[in-house]
Amino acid sequence: DIVMTQSPHSLAVSLGERATINCKSSQSVLSTSNNKIYLAWYQHKAGQPPRLLIYWASVRQSGVPARFSGSGSGTDFTLTISSLQAEDVAVYYCQQYYSLPTFGPGTKVDIK
Amino acid sequence: EVQLMESGGGLVQPGRSLRLSCAASGFSFDDFAVHWVRQVPGRGLEWVSGVSWNSGSIDYADSVKGRFTISRDNAKKSLVLQMNSLRAEDTALYYCVKGNSGVLTGSGAWFDSWGQGTLVTVSS
């Protein structure tokens, strides 16, 4: 199984400031056949189901605000919230779909 | 609008069985893989099981292999998770999840829609 790790475990950011979440996979999730990264990001707010934010490591799902962006290479990935809003308080998970799905442990984002 | 509605959760004793169901609507059910993902209270997300569009590919997390069985009925647009030999560590909120493609892994296999979840509590 591909093991996903995330850092930090939690972070608190002032409104309007940048939040950066890191994710690492135990092996590459870059496909050499299509040069795509098999990595997604989800937002999970309390009392709601998770919401897909990003797939292919950097493609925003329809309806996701432009302040959310994803980047990365074969094993190291980043989710950035460029200007944190109050409604962004949530736990954020990375997930690989290169092989049977595995999630990172999550990063809790709060307002400072 | 994609809708996934889980049912069947509840309180069950260790060693007993429970059957979860998911009713799907708002999309062409037989074109997409569907999965179960769970969240233990206060912890992260864990993929449990998935079935491809035509049931040709089925797989399970090691933690449930041999105890859980997933199945789908495309005519009824429904997904079922039969859970046997339940353990305390199976206590979780179980989500029915739609994949973005018909396959379990690889191209397009992210999770694009989630149900509200059904709570399973395993306790004596």
Side-chain angles (χ1 to χ4, degrees):
Chain A
D1 291 3
I2 298 177
V3 177
M4 309 299 291
T5 56
Q6 288 182 233
S7 63
H9 172 71
S10 65
L11 75 161
V13 176
S14 300
L15 289 172
E17 296 300 306
R18 179 185 301 260
T20 301
I21 300 168
N22 300 300
C23 170
K24 181 184 282 285
S25 58
S26 62
Q27 62 191 77
S28 176
V29 295
L30 168 66
S31 170
T32 53
S33 64
N34 61 9
N35 203 36
K36 290 191 173 183
I37 299 173
Y38 288 49
L39 190 283
W41 288 96
Y42 301 85
Q43 176 191 62
H44 194 188
K45 296 182 180 180
Q48 298 182 20
R51 171 196 183 195
L52 174 68
L53 294 177
I54 284 170
Y55 55 92
W56 293 136
S58 62
V59 179
R60 269 190 308 278
Q61 172 73 336
S62 175
V64 173
R67 63 180 181 274
F68 291 93
S69 64
S71 64
S73 63
T75 58
D76 292 272
F77 316 98
T78 300
L79 176 70
T80 302
I81 310 172
S82 61
S83 176
L84 192 75
Q85 305 299 304
E87 61 265 31
D88 300 335
V89 169
V91 179
Y92 292 84
Y93 295 93
C94 59
Q95 176 239 331
Q96 64 79 22
Y97 47 93
Y98 187 85
S99 62
L100 288 181
T102 47
F103 291 89
T107 295
K108 185 177 181 182
V109 175
D110 268 321
I111 305 296
K112 185 186 291 182
Chain B
E1 178 192 4
V2 173
Q3 291 198 355
L4 300 160
M5 186 170 297
E6 304 93 340
S7 60
L11 174 63
V12 61
Q13 293 179 328
R16 303 299 290 264
S17 298
L18 206 59
R19 180 181 171 95
L20 303 185
S21 297
C22 173
S25 62
F27 66 102
S28 184
F29 183 75
D30 52 8
D31 281 342
F32 296 95
V34 277
H35 306 256
W36 292 98
V37 174
R38 68 186 180 185
Q39 182 181 29
V40 173
R43 298 184 62 181
L45 300 172
E46 179 189 20
W47 175 80
V48 173
S49 180
V51 53
S52 64
W53 66 280
N54 63 351
S55 302
S57 180
I58 286 175
D59 220 321
Y60 302 92
D62 287 344
S63 57
V64 307
K65 201 169 289 185
R67 300 186 298 121
F68 289 11
T69 302
I70 193 172
S71 61
R72 67 186 292 164
D73 185 331
N74 285 347
K76 296 182 179 178
K77 297 187 177 183
S78 68
L79 177 69
V80 168
L81 185 68
Q82 178 66 42
M83 304 187 295
N84 298 331
S85 302
L86 282 161
R87 306 167 179 168
E89 54 264 36
D90 295 318
T91 293
L93 184 64
Y94 285 74
Y95 292 103
C96 174
V97 183
K98 172 185 170 291
N100 187 69
S101 75
V103 297
L104 294 187
T105 63
S107 189
W110 56 84
F111 303 140
D112 62 13
S113 299
W114 300 62
Q116 293 294 318
T118 187
L119 183 62
V120 173
T121 303
V122 184
S123 175
S124 55

